[in-house]
Amino acid sequence: MKRHQNKGALTGPTQRQLRAGELIRHALVDILREEELQDEALQGVSVTVTEVRMSPDLKHAICFVEPLGAGMSDAAPANEVVKGLNRVSKFLRGRLGRHIDMKFTPDLKFIHDESFNTAGEMDRLFSDPRVQQDIRRLSDVLGDEDED
């Protein structure tokens, strides 16, 4: 029985992709915690794997990472850490194959997770006095409607 899909519709990842992504994310966290990676950019840096997105055939994984540690607030060092992870991705893939039980061990590509920066920018915007003033006005209007 074939599944018919609307080719023009945007669909999210399947349950299978989500499960595989979480399996790989957990395994990568363990590997990065246990292994001493030889790349210079990765020395003394902890890396958080925030998300892993799998291709539909589960042969490719995009790993979103956030470097932690001294001096990691700048974008330049974070990009160096991501480049270092991409340089050792074949080594990590080999270790990953021993940790997971999948038919194929996916190719790994690492990308810096910008969601932390976006959240910080949103916090900064919400703390702006002009925005706070608008929020107070909105709550006053909504508060008046609740009393009816």
Side-chain angles (χ1 to χ4, degrees), residues 61-79:
I62 298 175
C63 308
F64 291 89
V65 295
E66 179 64 26
L68 306 172
M72 285 295 113
S73 60
D74 300 333
N79 287 337

Side-chain angles (χ1 to χ4, degrees), residues 7-19:
K7 294 194 188 255
L10 294 175
T11 59
T14 63
Q15 196 66 30
R16 182 173 170 237
Q17 287 171 283
L18 293 172
R19 275 195 323 267

Side-chain angles (χ1 to χ4, degrees), residues 115-147:
S115 64
F116 293 101
N117 297 340
T118 304
E121 179 65 16
M122 290 175 67
D123 285 342
R124 187 190 65 73
L125 289 171
F126 280 126
S127 64
D128 185 303
R130 294 175 295 178
V131 174
Q132 288 293 319
Q133 181 181 358
D134 290 342
I135 291 173
R136 280 193 297 276
R137 284 186 197 151
L138 181 61
S139 65
D140 291 343
V141 169
L142 291 177
D144 292 342
E145 290 177 0
D146 290 342
E147 293 175 4

Side-chain angles (χ1 to χ4, degrees), residues 41-135:
L42 303 174
Q43 299 301 313
V45 176
S46 293
V47 178
T48 299
V49 182
T50 56
E51 180 183 1
V52 175
R53 291 184 189 165
M54 300 297 297
S55 65
D57 63 1
L58 304 182
K59 291 186 179 182
H60 302 280
I62 298 175
C63 308
F64 291 89
V65 295
E66 179 64 26
L68 306 172
M72 285 295 113
S73 60
D74 300 333
N79 287 337
E80 289 303 314
V81 170
V82 171
K83 286 178 186 176
L85 286 168
N86 282 314
R87 284 191 293 267
V88 298
S89 66
K90 291 186 187 211
F91 170 80
L92 291 172
R93 181 177 184 232
R95 291 289 190 256
L96 184 63
R98 297 181 187 133
H99 276 77
I100 62 172
D101 184 27
M102 290 177 61
K103 187 174 183 177
F104 299 103
T105 304
D107 291 325
L108 303 173
K109 180 179 180 184
F110 293 92
I111 296 177
H112 182 235
D113 189 350
E114 298 292 334
S115 64
F116 293 101
N117 297 340
T118 304
E121 179 65 16
M122 290 175 67
D123 285 342
R124 187 190 65 73
L125 289 171
F126 280 126
S127 64
D128 185 303
R130 294 175 295 178
V131 174
Q132 288 293 319
Q133 181 181 358
D134 290 342
I135 291 173

